[in-house]
Amino acid sequence: MSWNDIAQWSPSEVGRLAQRVTEAARAFDAGADVLTAAAADLDWQGAAADAARHAISVLHRGQLDRARELGAIGRCIARLADSMYPLLSVVRDCNDTAARHDLTIHPNGAVAAQFPVYAVAVAEGWETERDRLRLRRELGARVSEAMRRALEIDDATTAALNRIDGGGDSDDDTWVAAEYTSVRPARAVVPSGGTAAANSAFWKSLTPAERTSLMVLDPGSIGNLDGIPAQVRDAANRRMLTLERTRLEAVAQDLGRQLERNRFGGLFDNADAGLSQTRKRLAALDSIASTLDQGGRQLLVLDNSSSEDTLAAIAVGNVHTATHVAVFVPGLGSDVRDDLHRYDGDVAALQRTAEDLLPDGDSVACVTWMNYQAPHMGWSLLDPSRTVISPLAASRGAPRLTAFLDGLDAARGPDPHLTLLGHSYGSLVASLSLRGADTAGVDEFVAAGSPGLGFDDSAGLSVPPGHLFVAEARGDLVADLGAFGADPGGLGGIETISTEANAAQGTSENVGHSDYLTPGTTAQRETALVVTGQSQEVTG
């Protein structure tokens, strides 16, 4: 099945066919009723009468079988039409996007440029080329997912129709329901390993009933799915928050009973360690719940399985509608259980400062992104995957951040003005997430108190020239380490965010390593200017 074949689908015509088949089923059913009445009214005795009644009875059963088969076919085709509508909307959107940007979608789904792009200014040419590369990559992913989904729908409908054609026990109604099971909403399965753009196309290709089914039956499959609307992720993750709490409470009770029965404690079965870890996760869920209780929040990530710690991302404001979106990545020692409240307070204050700087009609959403296993001190220093002296934790977290940032764009119509904020070791995670010419449509990058960005040249970052900022406060020893590449403050192509007191602005000095987002400080206000797209106002 080619792209052009799918584009020619006509769900309205398929729906009309379903209606005609259903009407034919009713006609057969009515015909069966006529035969039944005729047999009942037959006042005739003898062998010939018995033979006639038998013949009518056989014909009656045949009529009923045909009516049931036609009814099943009609329902199956109607469900096919329902599935076609949202998918065809995705196909048309892809074709419209290709036409607007002089791209061609080939029958096999490949996306190619029709004409080269020319730009006069170097900065303009760089940004234009980056955006075009991203557009081709994302459009290709959407097209690929739409074709996969079309084949899935087509194959499921084919199998269902073949089961009907194979018949069944005409005295058993169960096969009539089974013939279209493959295209029922409960069967929608989220594809694994898809990009944010592909996930967006998948979600948009589902019928409302399929979306509801996923939300009710499998919220864990969509809560962390980059590329789908924030309000959907929030609703799914809030449902998972409740389900996870119930599950972990049962685990804690079971482990507690094991310890009570074991006179050696958890010495030989690690039940004590398991109980401690379970309680830690429950405390992390409590922290998430109490943060959400403040209102105006969206739970965009809830991951209780991919690392030793519970991972999460919470937005203040609506990232699906905000004009400007900022994503904050904390560093060493950050933990959902112990630090989420503090970081959420910081980004909430940043949002308020930013909105005070905005013109009417614009809005800001700020995300605390704690969706990677941050390095810790203590015994973690001996763990290669968590030690702060290694970039491994950052390199593992960076792809998750890249996908999240891609998802913010893919889930929306117009892209937001997107700012990435990295503090301390989090600036390394953020920097690695931006490597490559077409990754993550980030418009601004702010590194605060950074021990290094993993490179000695900013040219490799997917950020427009002149929109990479570094903040280094007096007394911040970490910012002078240069542990992961050269000191960011000394790199070319880097703009500086002031941390000194500014009497004209009425802001105070930032001091030390953890003061960059403190309300009323210069760095916090200048960061807010960057977040709102007013970086030209940064004093440096």
Side-chain angles (χ1 to χ4, degrees):
M1 185 184 303
S2 73
W3 179 253
N4 296 337
D5 292 333
I6 301 168
Q8 295 301 314
W9 280 7
S10 177
S12 60
E13 291 184 6
V14 174
R16 283 193 291 271
L17 173 61
Q19 184 177 3
R20 293 191 186 100
V21 172
T22 301
E23 290 171 353
R26 294 195 187 104
F28 269 96
D29 194 58
D33 290 341
V34 171
L35 290 172
T36 302
D41 293 340
L42 188 62
D43 187 13
W44 182 19
Q45 301 300 324
D50 292 341
R53 290 190 182 93
H54 176 72
I56 292 172
S57 174
V58 170
L59 186 57
H60 173 255
R61 286 197 301 271
Q63 286 278 91
L64 287 178
D65 287 345
R66 300 295 78 74
R68 295 171 67 179
E69 289 179 7
L70 282 171
I73 291 170
R75 288 188 294 272
C76 189
I77 296 175
R79 290 185 184 277
L80 171 61
D82 289 343
S83 298
M84 281 181 168
Y85 278 109
L87 176 62
L88 198 59
S89 177
V90 172
V91 171
R92 288 170 177 164
D93 182 64
C94 289
N95 283 336
D96 289 346
T97 300
R100 286 197 309 270
H101 296 89
D102 296 321
L103 298 171
T104 298
I105 302 176
H106 293 293
N108 65 355
V111 177
Q114 295 179 10
F115 311 106
V117 176
Y118 300 99
V120 177
V122 173
E124 178 188 348
W126 183 94
E127 192 167 356
T128 299
E129 184 58 24
R130 180 197 71 161
D131 292 345
R132 194 165 179 80
L133 284 171
R134 278 179 51 77
L135 179 65
R136 285 182 60 184
R137 174 170 62 87
E138 291 179 357
L139 182 58
R142 292 176 189 269
V143 168
S144 178
E145 173 57 27
M147 294 183 73
R148 185 202 69 80
R149 176 78 173 144
L151 286 172
E152 180 180 74
I153 292 171
D154 191 67
D155 288 346
T157 306
T158 300
L161 290 170
N162 286 339
R163 284 198 298 275
I164 299 170
D165 185 57
D169 184 355
S170 61
D171 293 325
D172 182 2
D173 287 340
T174 58
W175 75 274
V176 180
E179 93 290 340
Y180 55 87
T181 297
S182 296
V183 290
R184 292 182 68 187
R187 302 293 294 181
V189 178
V190 178
S192 61
T195 65
N199 293 337
S200 175
F202 165 76
W203 183 256
K204 291 177 180 178
S205 74
L206 298 179
T207 65
E210 287 173 320
R211 295 178 185 179
T212 301
S213 177
L214 279 175
M215 179 68 73
V216 173
L217 300 177
D218 193 12
S221 69
I222 57 177
N224 300 331
L225 196 63
D226 297 308
I228 70 173
Q231 60 271 27
V232 176
R233 296 179 68 166
D234 178 52
N237 282 326
R238 286 174 188 260
R239 180 169 169 77
M240 284 303 301
L241 186 64
T242 301
L243 294 174
E244 276 295 279
R245 165 160 286 288
T246 300
R247 182 185 69 84
L248 290 175
E249 285 176 343
V251 170
Q253 291 176 2
D254 182 60
L255 290 172
R257 286 192 291 267
Q258 288 185 39
L259 287 172
E260 290 175 0
R261 292 194 301 266
N262 189 343
R263 69 183 203 178
F264 297 103
L267 185 61
F268 297 110
D269 61 6
N270 290 324
D272 55 345
L275 182 58
S276 175
Q277 179 68 10
T278 301
R279 287 173 174 167
K280 180 181 179 181
R281 289 196 182 276
L282 282 168
L285 297 185
D286 287 341
S287 179
I288 293 170
S290 60
T291 301
L292 295 175
D293 286 344
Q294 297 177 79
R297 266 69 174 173
Q298 293 177 323
L299 182 55
L300 302 178
V301 174
L302 175 61
D303 186 344
N304 228 2
S305 61
S306 63
S307 75
E308 294 179 13
D309 297 326
T310 297
L311 306 178
I314 293 182
V316 180
N318 188 344
V319 302
H320 195 67
T321 58
T323 316
H324 307 271
V325 175
V327 178
F328 171 67
V329 185
L332 172 66
S334 56
D335 180 274
V336 169
R337 179 189 64 177
D338 300 322
D339 303 306
L340 178 60
H341 274 291
R342 173 166 58 92
Y343 290 134
D344 178 80
D346 288 341
V347 301
L350 177 65
Q351 186 214 28
R352 290 192 296 270
T353 301
E355 291 200 326
D356 288 341
L357 299 170
L358 280 175
D360 292 339
D362 283 5
S363 58
V364 176
C366 295
V367 181
T368 302
W369 190 86
M370 303 180 74
N371 191 25
Y372 82 107
Q373 189 165 271
H376 284 64
M377 300 300 288
W379 289 108
S380 293
L381 290 172
L382 303 178
D383 182 351
S385 66
R386 300 201 68 175
T387 179
V388 71
I389 63 176
S390 164
L392 184 57
S395 64
R396 288 183 173 179
R400 297 168 72 97
L401 178 57
T402 300
F404 180 80
L405 296 169
D406 276 339
L408 295 179
D409 283 348
R412 297 177 44 146
D415 294 345
H417 172 254
L418 182 57
T419 302
L420 182 58
L421 312 172
H423 174 245
S424 190
Y425 192 89
S427 67
L428 178 62
V429 181
S431 173
L432 295 180
S433 76
L434 298 178
R435 302 297 285 175
D438 64 339
T439 57
V442 171
D443 302 293
E444 321 277 355
F445 176 31
V446 178
S450 175
L453 300 175
F455 58 83
D456 296 328
D457 183 0
S458 62
L461 287 185
S462 180
V463 179
H467 294 267
L468 173 57
F469 299 85
V470 169
E472 182 176 331
R474 178 173 59 87
D476 186 350
L477 301 179
V478 174
D480 291 320
L481 287 176
F484 304 106
D487 183 344
L491 294 176
I494 301 286
E495 306 295 327
T496 301
I497 283 182
S498 175
T499 58
E500 299 177 356
N502 189 316
Q505 296 177 353
T507 54
S508 60
E509 180 186 14
N510 299 86
V511 179
H513 186 58
S514 303
D515 192 34
Y516 293 98
L517 293 183
T518 300
T521 62
T522 300
Q524 198 245 21
R525 185 181 188 279
E526 298 216 331
T527 299
L529 286 170
V530 174
V531 168
T532 57
Q534 304 175 72
S535 57
Q536 71 278 2
E537 302 295 328
V538 172
T539 58

